[in-house]
Amino acid sequence: MSFLLRQRIQLPKAWRWKKRMEVSCCHCKTFSTISSHQDPIEIHKRKLFLWFSHLPKEENQFGGLFSPETMHVDPLIMERKDEERAGLLQSPYKTEISSSHPLTVEQLFEPTDTWSEGRGLNVLLYGAVGTGKATIVRKLVLDWCTGTTMTRFKLLLPFACEDLCQLSKAVSLRDLVGRKYLHLKNHPLLNGDKDQAKDVLFLFNGMEKMQLDFRIGSSELCSDPSEPLPPSVIIVNLLRKYLLPEANILMATRLSAVERIPQKYVSRYVQICGFNDPDRQRAYFTSRLLQSEEAAHNKEAQTLIELLYLNLQSESQLAAVCFLPSYCWLTCATLHFLHFTSPQAPIRTLTGIYTSFFRLNFGGEVLGTRTGASMSTQEYQSSLMSYVVRTVGKLAFDGVMNKRTSFSDKELEQWIGGKTKTDEELHQLAMFQTDVLDFFLAPCVKSRKHSSKELCENDEKQYVFAIPAMQEYLAALYVVLGENKSALQKLTSQVSVAIGQASEDVSALVNILSKFIPLRLFAIFNLLKLFPKLYEKISSRNKGRIARTMAAEMFRTEDSYNEDVLDQVEQSLLGVHGPQPQQSDDSQSFELYPIFMGGLLQYSNRVLLQQLDCNIQSTTVVQITRALRKYLVRELSKPQPPQELMDLLVLLYEFQNPRLTVEVLSSMKSICLTNIRMTSLKCFILSSVLSCSSASYHLKELDLSSCLLTSNTLQMLRPAFRHTLSLNLQFNNLDPDSCILLRDLLLDPKTCLSSLQLCDNPLLDSGVRVLLEALPENRSLTYLSLMHTGLEDSGALELAERLQQHTGLQELNVAYNTISDEAALALVDACREHPTIHTVHLYLNAITDEGKQSLYGRGVSSDEGNNRRVKVLASVTEGSDISSDWHPILRVIRENASSWDRKRVKQQLTVFLRDLEWGRRKQTSFWKRLHFRKVQKAVQATLQSLEKESSSRPSKKAE
């Protein structure tokens, strides 16, 4: 649907409301009634500005931060000669022709060589889908309203041709203007007197929708603006210059409709070529992604623009398609979704972005009949989007099934229009190939990713989808709409509908005949009633097959080591900077395909698709959802890698079905997302999914170790933490400010957190002090790990004082910090007197040998009636004996040595070896000496592996 018509649909209700308010409140200023002292043209400008300033709903993807003035970037406009125009219809995107020159909007109506005095210019503005026709028209109207362009015209009259072609009654030009713009009724500029019409500019947007016939026998000649005529005849006479010959006309149309207007009635041909250079594209991206003051000073946002610009400057596939402003919009919307998601913004999904993208570009668009064909015949007025699904969607589905992303000319001819038979179908195919096909498919930019044998076979030119995710979206839509049925299934469906409609009449007839001819043979006709029920079962089984495909594609073994799907989407837009991952030619994955299938079943997306004449029945959604739950639960019974679990969470989020989410979560006892780069979007998805469950649902463990979490992303995860018993936040970037949120989490009465692991986070003493404020009121925590958090003596002493205020803690880990003897002894004393603590980890601290000996003796309670003993893990030895927990200590060191200070770890291991050697010499038993020797070998092996890794790193850097 044209942008002009969408504005006309959405604003009249608001204007009528304003008019009622203005009538009831006399003190309000009115725009709806014409006062004697108000200039109708000024009223017209104010109304047009309000009209065209309205942004479509899809712009809410960017948080509603934009105004038309700040986000507009002019696309390239080229004037075309006659011979160039003929060639360009065959190759619409080639702009490198020497005789063409760019124009500005202000230059569109400069006199041409064929211009004559007293006659206005007819300018034909044409372009392919997505090049920016509606944007230019919108900006032109707004600039005229503000007096910044087209100031030579006193009156600008925009019309949506989709609106005009719906008028069935004849109407005069003056009445047509008065009908659309009441304040301009009977305006003198439209009387036809003298040359007043030279100050009028008519703007017809979407001329391809008008059935114009320039034959004299079909469109009568008329020069009277008051003569009632069909709208198409009025436009023909305006173009012929019989009606208001001094008026200027600007027409915007598709490529396929250029030849519908005879050349003698066009003064200038102008083609919109989009953004032809990376600088225009960068200006567009900057206006979208750095619009807000917060984003403009955000280093991450600026880095995002730089990475995108680098990818556009390289010979990437994205650079080959971003000359289309529509794909620039899709790129911005996707990046905004990936990087600027916030809990305060409306819920957005990746599927919703792509569905909105199609609604913006194809809403209301149809493939109609040829010029002169009967408009009453609706059989060929098919929705353009449904035609896209049947043709391009079929091609995309075949590529997904065969794991292919590139297609040859022969394959395009086979899948798109290969079965056309009638003349009208051939005409629709020609229009589709001219206007739309190049919008989806672009010549493949040969790179490492596409250097497989399928590109090199016979050196044939290959085509790929403009954006990789577009192939997966169209394939998913093709399947969900049921277009992948076999010929037998389609025939069965038609027979079922026919029998269902006729079954009541047949039954009535059989009942009447059976009274006169009592033959049991008539009873066989009752079997007809069973056919629709049988088809319903077959259809239900087909929907189950769709659900099984979704689950199978979600958990493919060969994709289990790929990055999660959101990172893949980001890499497709920003590129991979640095060493390229080594992948085989046959490793193409389509992990977005099942996620899009789930997202398309979401209610809001189904509503948008219904506006595009792509209807997904509610029964289809119910059948697929019921089967999908069973298959997902079955797959989750097997161990799944973190990347696959993240993709599952994305699927549940895109589906937006709380009931399905709860049923799937009930089969998940733990979620391990270790080593997943948890962006703000992924944190929001995790919290949104877990928030669907009831308050009584709790995960046994939520592992978010090594996820690059910060205090900002931690805030978005708080709803998820409420459903967790054991929380692992090791190896992240949590600073002291993060402890404020963790403190509030422990104080939350809805939280049942029993284990909190904060190893390898720079919390420092200040952060630990904040965290300890929650101990007096918290009753659920039993295990607390503060290993390698920068804890010093002051923090350890305060921890010792606070321990008595919390009676549920059982194990405390403060290993690998800078705690000295005095603080360690105080901490062990506090743990010894604590009623429930049984283990304290103190190894890899700055504790002397004498301190370790003292700690071993302090593990026994001073209360004679209390036989409790606290395990103090300070070394692999306890005095002259081996510690019973030497193995866990070495295991922790091995697991974390890669991220720790290697020099310090080596020093501690050397101290362990010295202690073991001293203890071994003290032993008289041969078996104890042998045990010491075994532990010594384990420590030596750990030390040697660290030295080997340290020596290999410099050599790799040298290479």
Side-chain angles (χ1 to χ4, degrees):
M1 182 188 292
S2 67
F3 188 84
L4 181 63
L5 182 60
R6 284 201 301 274
Q7 293 167 329
R8 293 187 62 86
I9 289 175
Q10 295 173 358
L11 288 178
K13 290 184 179 179
W15 287 350
R16 289 196 294 269
W17 176 81
K18 285 186 177 181
K19 187 173 181 179
R20 290 197 297 268
M21 292 298 295
E22 290 156 0
V23 170
S24 61
C25 304
C26 298
H27 63 278
C28 295
K29 186 175 180 180
T30 176
F31 291 158
S32 300
T33 56
I34 302 177
S35 303
S36 58
H37 62 278
Q38 286 184 313
D39 184 4
I41 293 183
E42 291 301 318
I43 296 175
H44 182 61
K45 287 183 177 181
R46 289 197 297 268
K47 285 195 171 186
L48 278 185
F49 187 82
L50 173 65
W51 203 336
F52 281 82
S53 294
H54 177 76
L55 293 174
K57 184 176 65 174
E58 284 74 14
E59 294 297 347
N60 291 332
Q61 304 284 353
F62 307 96
L65 300 171
F66 305 110
S67 62
E69 296 81 11
T70 58
M71 70 178 183
H72 180 77
V73 177
D74 291 320
L76 178 66
I77 304 175
M78 302 287 289
E79 182 176 5
R80 298 301 190 191
K81 304 301 181 182
D82 297 336
E83 62 277 6
E84 300 166 352
R85 176 177 51 81
L88 281 169
L89 285 178
Q90 302 300 323
S91 182
Y93 295 137
K94 294 181 180 179
T95 60
E96 59 276 11
I97 300 179
S98 57
S99 59
S100 298
H101 61 277
L103 293 176
T104 63
V105 174
E106 194 68 42
Q107 296 172 326
L108 291 179
F109 290 93
E110 290 183 352
T112 62
D113 296 336
T114 59
W115 178 77
S116 59
E117 187 71 28
R119 295 176 67 88
L121 295 178
N122 296 340
V123 178
L124 183 59
L125 184 70
Y126 67 95
V129 174
T131 50
K133 298 186 296 295
T135 303
I136 286 183
V137 168
R138 180 171 173 273
K139 187 66 165 54
L140 185 150
V141 174
L142 290 174
D143 288 347
W144 177 80
C145 292
T146 56
T148 56
T149 190
M150 295 292 178
T151 53
R152 73 184 76 176
F153 300 112
K154 295 181 180 179
L155 182 60
L156 173 64
L157 296 171
F159 290 95
C161 292
E162 187 172 1
D163 190 13
L164 294 179
C165 69
Q166 300 300 321
L167 296 178
S168 57
K169 295 182 180 180
V171 63
S172 67
L173 175 61
R174 297 183 65 187
D175 290 340
L176 180 63
V177 174
R179 182 174 181 174
K180 300 301 178 184
Y181 307 104
L182 181 61
H183 46 276
L184 296 177
K185 190 173 185 180
N186 300 324
H187 197 279
L189 289 178
L190 302 174
N191 290 336
D193 298 338
K194 300 181 181 179
D195 60 348
Q196 293 187 83
K198 73 179 188 306
D199 297 325
V200 179
L201 172 61
F202 289 94
L203 196 161
F204 297 104
N205 191 24
M207 284 290 286
E208 69 276 357
K209 299 180 177 64
M210 298 298 300
Q211 298 294 320
L212 302 181
D213 194 341
F214 287 85
R215 294 174 296 180
I216 298 295
S218 301
S219 301
E220 60 178 297
L221 300 178
C222 178
S223 60
D224 185 5
S226 302
E227 178 71 22
L229 295 170
S232 60
V233 178
I234 292 177
I235 295 178
V236 168
N237 279 283
L238 285 172
L239 294 175
R240 285 171 171 167
K241 298 303 178 184
Y242 276 87
L243 184 61
L244 300 183
E246 303 87 2
N248 290 271
I249 301 173
L250 177 62
M251 301 163 283
T253 187
R254 290 187 203 155
L255 282 166
S256 61
V258 171
E259 296 297 333
R260 294 184 186 178
I261 302 175
Q263 181 180 342
K264 61 181 179 179
Y265 298 133
V266 179
S267 308
R268 174 176 283 133
Y269 289 94
V270 180
Q271 185 185 16
I272 306 176
C273 302
F275 301 147
N276 65 321
D277 60 89
D279 290 332
R280 288 179 190 262
Q281 298 164 6
R282 180 172 186 168
Y284 182 91
F285 293 137
T286 303
S287 68
R288 293 275 173 165
L289 298 176
L290 297 181
Q291 179 65 30
S292 65
E293 294 183 4
E294 181 180 353
H297 297 88
N298 188 346
K299 292 184 178 180
E300 181 184 356
Q302 295 174 355
T303 302
L304 188 68
I305 294 293
E306 292 298 328
L307 292 176
L308 183 59
Y309 186 59
L310 288 175
N311 195 28
L312 292 173
Q313 287 181 313
S314 64
E315 296 181 359
S316 64
Q317 195 65 49
L318 182 67
V321 298
C322 265
F323 71 93
L324 287 175
S326 290
Y327 277 108
C328 290
W329 182 93
L330 180 60
T331 301
C332 283
T334 305
L335 289 175
H336 198 275
F337 170 69
L338 292 174
H339 288 271
F340 301 103
T341 297
S342 66
Q344 292 77 25
I347 294 293
R348 297 177 298 166
T349 62
L350 190 62
T351 313
I353 289 174
Y354 276 79
T355 307
S356 299
F357 171 76
F358 281 111
R359 182 179 176 273
L360 276 174
N361 289 279
F362 298 104
E365 299 287 349
V366 296
L367 283 174
T369 56
R370 293 171 296 175
T371 303
S374 175
M375 288 299 295
S376 61
T377 305
Q378 297 294 325
E379 57 181 316
Y380 293 111
Q381 291 284 337
S382 62
S383 162
L384 181 56
M385 188 62 201
S386 62
Y387 194 90
V388 168
V389 175
R390 293 194 303 270
T391 54
V392 184
K394 188 175 183 180
L395 176 71
F397 175 73
D398 178 73
V400 170
M401 290 296 98
N402 294 291
K403 307 303 177 188
R404 299 179 59 237
T405 57
S406 60
F407 309 90
S408 64
D409 285 313
K410 293 181 180 179
E411 290 170 328
L412 296 185
E413 184 179 354
Q414 173 188 354
W415 291 109
I416 300 176
K419 297 182 180 180
T420 52
K421 297 178 182 179
T422 66
D423 187 53
E424 291 296 341
E425 289 177 342
L426 289 173
H427 175 70
Q428 287 185 350
L429 176 62
M431 291 175 58
F432 180 77
Q433 290 177 333
T434 302
D435 294 332
V436 183
L437 186 58
D438 288 330
F439 180 78
F440 292 101
L441 296 167
C444 178
V445 176
K446 291 187 178 182
S447 61
R448 181 183 304 189
K449 182 177 179 181
H450 295 287
S451 60
S452 60
K453 60 182 180 181
E454 61 182 276
L455 297 183
C456 303
E457 189 174 347
N458 299 327
D459 236 1
E460 192 174 5
K461 188 175 183 180
Q462 298 287 323
Y463 296 87
V464 296
F465 280 85
I467 289 182
M470 187 66 68
Q471 178 180 355
E472 299 176 72
Y473 179 90
L474 289 174
L477 186 58
Y478 180 80
V479 172
V480 172
L481 289 176
E483 295 292 340
N484 64 327
K485 295 178 182 177
S486 62
L488 178 60
Q489 288 175 327
K490 293 180 179 179
L491 178 62
T492 306
S493 174
Q494 296 171 358
V495 172
S496 174
V497 172
I499 291 178
Q501 294 174 348
S503 60
E504 294 183 3
D505 298 333
V506 173
S507 298
L509 180 62
V510 168
N511 290 334
I512 294 173
L513 293 177
S514 63
K515 294 180 179 179
F516 301 97
I517 308 176
L519 297 176
R520 301 292 183 183
L521 184 64
F522 285 104
I524 197 172
F525 286 98
N526 290 326
L527 293 175
L528 292 174
K529 299 179 181 180
L530 298 177
F531 195 89
K533 296 181 179 179
L534 178 62
Y535 170 73
E536 184 178 352
K537 291 184 178 180
I538 296 175
S539 177
S540 178
R541 185 178 295 273
N542 184 47
K543 303 302 187 297
R545 189 178 300 113
I546 294 176
R548 186 169 62 250
T549 301
M550 292 174 63
E553 291 291 331
M554 277 293 302
F555 300 105
R556 293 174 68 236
T557 305
E558 52 268 36
D559 297 337
S560 59
Y561 295 103
N562 293 345
E563 294 185 349
D564 64 85
V565 68
L566 294 178
D567 280 352
Q568 294 180 36
V569 172
E570 182 182 49
Q571 289 179 7
S572 69
L573 299 178
L574 301 181
V576 179
H577 301 274
Q580 298 288 330
Q582 297 293 331
Q583 294 183 349
S584 61
D585 294 338
D586 300 325
S587 63
Q588 181 65 46
S589 62
F590 295 93
E591 297 183 65
L592 267 177
Y593 169 59
I595 292 175
F596 277 142
M597 290 174 70
L600 289 169
L601 301 180
Q602 181 194 352
Y603 176 75
S604 60
N605 287 325
R606 286 189 285 132
V607 171
L608 290 179
L609 288 171
Q610 191 172 11
Q611 299 173 15
L612 297 171
D613 199 23
C614 297
N615 298 318
I616 302 176
Q617 301 298 327
S618 298
T619 53
T620 300
V621 178
V622 172
Q623 292 171 352
I624 293 178
T625 303
R626 186 183 299 119
L628 180 62
R629 181 195 63 81
K630 179 179 64 175
Y631 291 118
L632 288 180
V633 171
R634 180 184 303 173
E635 292 292 337
L636 288 173
S637 62
K638 312 169 189 175
Q640 299 295 340
Q643 291 82 359
E644 298 297 308
L645 287 179
M646 188 68 240
D647 292 349
L648 172 64
L649 294 173
V650 175
L651 171 65
L652 295 176
Y653 174 78
E654 293 281 329
F655 212 130
Q656 292 288 308
N657 188 321
R659 184 175 179 179
L660 172 68
T661 301
V662 170
E663 292 174 344
V664 173
L665 286 177
S666 62
S667 64
M668 301 176 67
K669 303 305 179 184
S670 63
I671 295 179
C672 177
L673 298 178
T674 182
N675 294 318
I676 296 293
R677 186 174 62 96
M678 293 297 290
T679 61
S680 58
L681 173 61
K682 296 175 189 177
C683 294
F684 181 72
I685 288 175
L686 176 59
S687 294
S688 299
V689 171
L690 288 179
S691 296
C692 293
S693 59
S694 63
S696 60
Y697 171 77
H698 291 96
L699 290 169
K700 288 185 177 179
E701 182 180 11
L702 177 59
D703 189 349
L704 296 175
S705 58
S706 303
C707 292
L708 302 179
L709 292 175
T710 63
S711 56
N712 293 330
T713 52
L714 201 65
Q715 180 67 38
M716 303 184 73
L717 287 168
R718 180 168 180 175
F721 293 160
R722 292 177 177 173
H723 298 275
T724 304
L725 296 178
S726 177
L727 179 59
N728 188 346
L729 297 176
Q730 298 182 117
F731 307 106
N732 285 293
N733 298 319
L734 304 182
D735 55 13
D737 292 338
S738 305
C739 292
I740 299 175
L741 184 136
L742 294 173
R743 176 200 61 191
D744 296 340
L745 177 68
L746 293 173
L747 291 175
D748 190 345
K750 297 180 181 179
T751 300
C752 297
L753 198 63
S754 61
S755 175
L756 179 60
Q757 301 180 55
L758 298 172
C759 170
D760 279 83
N761 285 289
L763 303 180
L764 307 179
D765 280 352
S766 57
V768 173
R769 287 193 185 96
V770 174
L771 188 64
L772 295 179
E773 295 175 6
L775 291 184
E777 298 183 29
N778 180 270
R779 294 292 179 269
S780 62
L781 194 64
T782 60
Y783 176 73
L784 177 62
S785 174
L786 298 173
M787 181 169 61
H788 197 204
T789 55
L791 186 64
E792 298 179 353
D793 286 346
S794 59
L797 291 172
E798 186 164 350
L799 175 59
E801 295 176 4
R802 295 270 190 171
L803 281 180
Q804 299 303 324
Q805 300 174 359
H806 187 281
T807 58
L809 198 63
Q810 298 178 8
E811 187 171 355
L812 178 64
N813 190 341
V814 290
Y816 195 21
N817 285 294
T818 55
I819 302 174
S820 61
D821 293 1
E822 181 181 356
L825 291 172
L827 187 58
V828 171
D829 287 341
C831 293
R832 182 187 60 192
E833 304 303 327
H834 195 277
T836 56
I837 293 181
H838 56 72
T839 305
V840 183
H841 300 256
L842 282 167
Y843 44 87
L844 299 184
N845 275 292
I847 304 175
T848 63
D849 294 339
E850 294 78 9
K852 293 176 184 177
Q853 295 296 328
S854 302
L855 290 176
Y856 174 68
R858 295 286 184 98
V860 181
S861 175
S862 60
D863 187 358
E864 297 180 358
N866 187 356
N867 295 324
R868 288 187 64 254
R869 178 180 177 86
V870 177
K871 286 185 180 180
V872 181
L873 307 184
S875 176
V876 292
T877 60
E878 294 179 355
S880 59
D881 293 328
I882 292 179
S883 172
S884 59
D885 297 296
W886 69 269
H887 191 272
I889 293 175
L890 286 183
R891 177 176 54 81
V892 171
I893 293 175
R894 291 194 196 101
E895 292 175 353
N896 303 288
S898 59
S899 61
W900 286 351
D901 183 0
R902 292 176 179 271
K903 183 178 180 181
R904 181 176 171 184
V905 173
K906 289 178 183 178
Q907 290 176 351
Q908 290 292 331
L909 290 176
T910 304
V911 172
F912 287 171
L913 288 174
R914 187 192 63 194
D915 293 343
L916 288 169
E917 182 63 24
W918 178 82
R920 187 175 66 86
R921 292 176 180 177
K922 292 287 185 179
Q923 301 299 323
T924 57
S925 171
F926 171 77
W927 299 109
K928 284 189 175 183
R929 286 187 177 187
L930 190 61
H931 191 196
F932 267 88
R933 191 60 181 167
K934 176 184 177 182
V935 178
Q936 277 183 298
K937 287 184 178 180
V939 175
Q940 287 173 348
T942 305
L943 183 59
Q944 289 173 0
S945 64
L946 286 176
E947 292 175 347
K948 185 177 181 181
E949 291 179 8
S950 300
S951 61
S952 62
R953 285 190 175 185
S955 61
K956 288 182 179 180
K957 291 181 180 179
E959 291 175 3

